Amino acid sequence: MPIYVYQHPKTEEYLEVLQGMNDLHEYTDEAGIEWKRIFFVPNAGFDTQVDPYSRQDYLKATENKKGTLGDLMDYSKELSQKRADKEGKDPVAEKFYANHEKKTGVKHPSKAKVYESKNVRVEYD
């Protein structure tokens, strides 16, 4: 059963009362004085502060979320933009691109300015 908080209108004393969710949420004491119900702002704030440099924070913030792969990619892009805004460039992405080039010998397609295949060569900005 949820706890509801009431305040005495004159003495400003607080009282916690267990009431069912479907009960009438009013409280009247033995003297017949009706107490005022106090409402609180919910304080649930999950994953509101995710460290853009922390892999664990990212995993914790996304592990039970419903959504698509595209949603995860968008969230990753937001965190990347936060890192870039803070440092001028995203060090995590730069490290990823450097490792890709080291392993494969070619620039990552998102960093390359040229696309080549057997039949076509395209240069772009």
Side-chain angles (χ1 to χ4, degrees), residues 90-103:
D90 180 6
V92 176
E94 295 298 319
K95 181 179 175 184
F96 170 79
Y97 294 135
N99 286 342
H100 180 274
E101 190 171 353
K102 185 178 176 183
K103 284 181 183 178

Side-chain angles (χ1 to χ4, degrees), residues 60-114:
K60 195 184 307 180
T62 58
E63 68 184 346
N64 292 322
K65 296 259 175 135
K66 293 182 180 177
T68 64
L69 178 60
D71 294 334
L72 290 176
M73 293 173 72
D74 290 344
Y75 190 54
S76 294
K77 189 173 184 177
E78 286 175 30
L79 295 178
S80 176
Q81 187 60 48
K82 284 183 182 180
R83 292 187 295 262
D85 290 345
K86 189 172 185 178
E87 296 190 28
K89 64 179 181 176
D90 180 6
V92 176
E94 295 298 319
K95 181 179 175 184
F96 170 79
Y97 294 135
N99 286 342
H100 180 274
E101 190 171 353
K102 185 178 176 183
K103 284 181 183 178
T104 63
V106 296
K107 285 189 175 187
H108 190 272
S110 65
K111 288 292 188 180
K113 302 296 181 192
V114 175

